[in-house]
Amino acid sequence: MPSPRPRPRPPVWARELAGLLAACAMALIVVGHLASDPARGNLLLLDPDSMLNQLVVSSLHAGQGQDWAMSPVLFIPEIGLYWLISLLGLNVSATLLVSAVVNVVLLYGAVRLVAGRRERLAHPVTGALLTYGLYCILALLESGGDRDSMELASLLATTTYYAMSVLAAVVTIGLVRRILGRTTVIPVIALALVGLVSAFTNPLFALWATAPAALALIAVGRRALSWRVLLIVEGALIVPAAIGIFARTPLKRLIVANPDLYAKPDQWQQSIAYYFGLVVDLTRTPGGWAEIALVLLLLALPLVATALTRRADDRFLAVVGWLSPLVTVVWAIAFGTVAARYLQPLVYLPLLTAVLVPTFVCARVTWTRARVRALRIVAAVAAVVLIALAAVQPARIADASARAEASVACVVDWIDHAGRTGAGQFWTIRPVKARLADPARLLQTGPDFVPYLWLVNRQDYPGAKITFAVTDAASFPFQYPAGAQITDLTCGSYTIHDFRDTPVFLP
């Protein structure tokens, strides 16, 4: 009896489309979880830092001049992507949540680039989905932490906690891996462009991606590439990043941050204590313990892969997977930093080694008909569960959006209808300011009504006439004009202090 014909495999486009659809479903599940969690939802929708992109877009729509006081990070790709999403015409919270979904889906695209071509990796879509799925598990384990927690995976869903720098780092690793697999001009040019833009907008990129990738390439590439090609690729990594950082020099007026606040080498011991305390905080919940265990497993994976892999592109992926977290921890402590968001490579770059797992397993497993049939059943069940879980997420996301908008609606409506200019403090007013028809109607100041120039448009202030203040429970008491008659109005969690007869004038 002749043996049965093997079942034809789906075409490449069908496999790629299935992978993308699965990634979109998982992104909806992740964002639905984060948006529904009170703490992470607040970080996505009401966090003062997260309002920057919306404030830029609102000021453009209001026809303001642009004269921003920025942090060392310029958020150029983030603002551009957010502006495109804002063209959908959604409210602020919905736009932020769509941005979150897009960011997470873009991670899949970056990971798929790392997985490479089919001739270099037997199962690139499967490897990309496995890696992406591990990221999604990490994000789903996170809840309850604020911006300073070690819940690093979910920061990708925000608009201003370096999401584009994370994606650029992953893309950089993917491009170098492809160059090692087959050296062509286009990946080298793309590598240089990514490094130039990323280092210009965020110098952290050089420490997250450029330095570890360059070191790993020297260690691995000298046997796979000629010295001439190796120097060209190293140059495409290092030179554009250096140019991007140097090109920031003329932007001194735009970047108002004090460098001394970011580099405190004499405080390295406090830095160790700070990060250790954040890890201890994770142990207070079962999800935190699970996340610690998974991160440790992911950190071990590149070490194992370094010992087992033989091909240069695979070995590069493994080496950079443990080298980048090491570099990140060393510089973060050496600089005396106390910001968990600087440690994001601990999550993302070790994770990338997982793209090799399906090929490694398939090379060591005999795939009998029974095993193939069982695998197909598992895949079909997983697909059904994924679709079912994704189907309920739009309602959860819409509910979170509505709650966030309702929390600021009273004060936003009052200011829009009053047609006057008020003031408030950074940690209080930015969610309100971002939702005003004219963001210049609410000025970011200190309690003495002196402008607080941080992630804000300087064009808001000249000639302003302040006639009310907006506070909440966290605000410091304002120093009102002498003899001011103040009328207080409670507006949800906010209080509006109206002193229209004794205004404060700004020069």
Side-chain angles (χ1 to χ4, degrees), residues 209-275:
T210 305
L215 292 172
L217 184 59
I218 291 174
V220 174
R222 55 195 174 89
R223 294 184 179 180
L225 304 174
S226 68
W227 279 106
R228 177 175 171 273
V229 174
L230 179 59
L231 288 174
I232 290 173
V233 180
E234 288 283 359
L237 268 170
I238 298 170
V239 174
I243 293 173
I245 293 173
F246 180 76
R248 295 163 55 89
T249 304
L251 304 179
K252 290 182 179 179
R253 172 175 166 77
L254 184 66
I255 302 171
V256 298
N258 182 355
D260 293 338
L261 298 176
Y262 294 87
K264 301 177 181 178
D266 58 319
Q267 297 186 15
W268 63 271
Q269 292 175 311
Q270 293 92 320
S271 182
I272 292 175
Y274 174 78
Y275 291 122

Side-chain angles (χ1 to χ4, degrees), residues 117-187:
R117 308 177 187 89
R118 186 162 188 80
E119 65 267 23
R120 302 299 299 173
L121 191 65
H123 303 278
V125 174
T126 305
L129 281 176
L130 172 63
T131 303
Y132 181 75
L134 289 170
Y135 160 78
C136 291
I137 291 172
L138 282 172
L140 290 170
L141 289 172
E142 296 182 351
S143 64
D146 59 17
R147 69 178 65 80
D148 292 321
S149 76
M150 284 294 284
E151 295 180 344
L152 302 177
S154 53
L155 292 181
L156 180 70
T158 68
T159 57
T160 50
Y161 286 110
Y162 315 154
M164 293 301 110
S165 297
V166 166
L167 295 173
V170 176
V171 167
T172 295
I173 303 308
L175 289 171
V176 175
R177 182 169 187 264
R178 291 209 170 196
I179 291 168
L180 286 168
R182 187 172 67 192
T183 305
T184 57
V185 174
I186 292 178

Side-chain angles (χ1 to χ4, degrees), residues 40 42-43 47-49 145-149 155 161 340-341 427:
R40 303 318 271 178
N42 184 77
L43 185 66
D47 178 71
D49 286 336
D146 59 17
R147 69 178 65 80
D148 292 321
S149 76
L155 292 181
Y161 286 110
R341 61 186 178 274
W427 296 106

Side-chain angles (χ1 to χ4, degrees), residues 64-81:
Q64 282 186 284
Q66 303 299 301
D67 184 15
W68 288 83
M70 296 294 288
S71 75
V73 184
L74 302 179
F75 302 107
I76 294 171
E78 288 90 343
I79 291 171
L81 178 60

Side-chain angles (χ1 to χ4, degrees), residues 351-408:
L351 187 72
L352 300 180
T353 314
V355 302
L356 305 175
V357 170
T359 298
F360 182 83
V361 171
C362 288
R364 289 158 177 78
V365 174
T366 301
W367 289 101
T368 62
R369 287 187 179 182
R371 288 177 177 175
V372 171
R373 189 180 302 113
L375 187 62
R376 287 173 176 165
I377 292 172
V378 170
V381 171
V384 170
V385 171
L386 199 60
I387 292 170
L389 290 174
V392 302
Q393 301 309 316
R396 297 179 72 194
I397 292 172
D399 183 58
S401 174
R403 288 198 307 271
E405 292 300 301
S407 70
V408 296

